[in-house]
Amino acid sequence: MEHPSSTNYEIAQVCLLAGKIMLENGGETYRVEDTMSHVAKAFGIPNSHSFVTPTGIIFSIDGPEQTTRLIRISARSTDLHKVTVVNAISRRISRGELAPSEAYRLLEEIEAAKAGYPTWIKILSAAIASGCFLMMFQGKWSDFLPAFVAGGAGFAFLGYFHRLVPIKFFAEFLASLLIGTMAFLFVSLKLGHDLDIIIIGSVMPLVPGLLITNAVRDLMAGHFVSGVSKGAEAFLTAFAIGAGIAFVLSFYSGEGMMG
């Protein structure tokens, strides 16, 4: 017969891994806590507690053999497919279809799985989105190609810069600086016309839309620590983008004055 403490430990591991995958791939704080609670209840643990922040998860099981576990979250990205798959596994657990060991194995496979789309598809999608945003902001078709190229290049080099400088703020600053420089060159070479619209369309793939949405939803759900921290992260990203573009525009304005 399996010892209760080992069972609690295994259940805690499943809950933590499910929460970790969701939090690292764009899941909201309240959704992560709700999923962990549902999984624990499905495994016969009615009294469990979780505390989730963007940088860590604490999970505790009450009872004679109390179990408390902490896991650190160091990297976050956006892959809502993984969040959806974890939700599907949670529902299977609730229906009694999976044992803790089976659920943990499936979650490990999800965590180890590569991103749903190759890098080149993401870059192409960002480039197309940049051109479409330009049109949405009432830009001209003659500026579609400059926004397409600048937006795709900025998104591509964001990952490259992040590997060179493992600080998100500087990577986003350099990526926006590249976008602004390319937009300025396109206009200078008469390959583009409206510098402002080209820049706005090109930086849209870098804008932290999901982060802002999650911050607001966490605040509305009463998760003030997570909501404020995510809001601060979104603000820093917006500031980095704005600083990079402002740096380029300062030279553009200076050149215009000299001309």
Side-chain angles (χ1 to χ4, degrees), residues 68-132:
T68 301
R69 298 280 295 163
L70 166 67
I71 192 168
R72 174 80 174 175
I73 306 297
S74 56
R76 294 177 299 278
S77 62
T78 302
D79 189 346
L80 298 182
H81 175 69
K82 287 188 175 183
V83 177
T84 302
V85 175
V86 172
N87 281 331
I89 291 177
S90 172
R91 287 191 288 269
R92 291 183 62 188
I93 293 172
S94 298
R95 293 193 297 266
E97 298 177 4
L98 295 173
S101 58
E102 296 172 321
Y104 190 77
R105 177 182 58 81
L106 291 175
L107 290 171
E108 282 186 317
E109 292 176 0
I110 296 170
E111 185 183 30
K114 295 181 179 180
Y117 299 98
T119 303
W120 70 269
I121 290 183
K122 294 181 180 180
I123 295 172
L124 179 61
S125 300
I128 295 173
S130 298
C132 292

Side-chain angles (χ1 to χ4, degrees), residues 54 208 210-219 223-239:
L210 180 64
L211 197 61
I212 295 172
T213 303
N214 285 351
V216 174
R217 293 190 67 176
D218 283 343
L219 286 172
H223 296 274
F224 299 112
V225 174
S226 296
V228 171
S229 60
K230 287 180 181 179
E233 185 178 356
F235 172 78
L236 284 176
T237 297
F239 180 75

Side-chain angles (χ1 to χ4, degrees), residues 43-56:
F43 285 139
I45 306 293
N47 298 318
S48 63
H49 308 279
S50 59
F51 180 72
V52 178
T53 70
T55 57

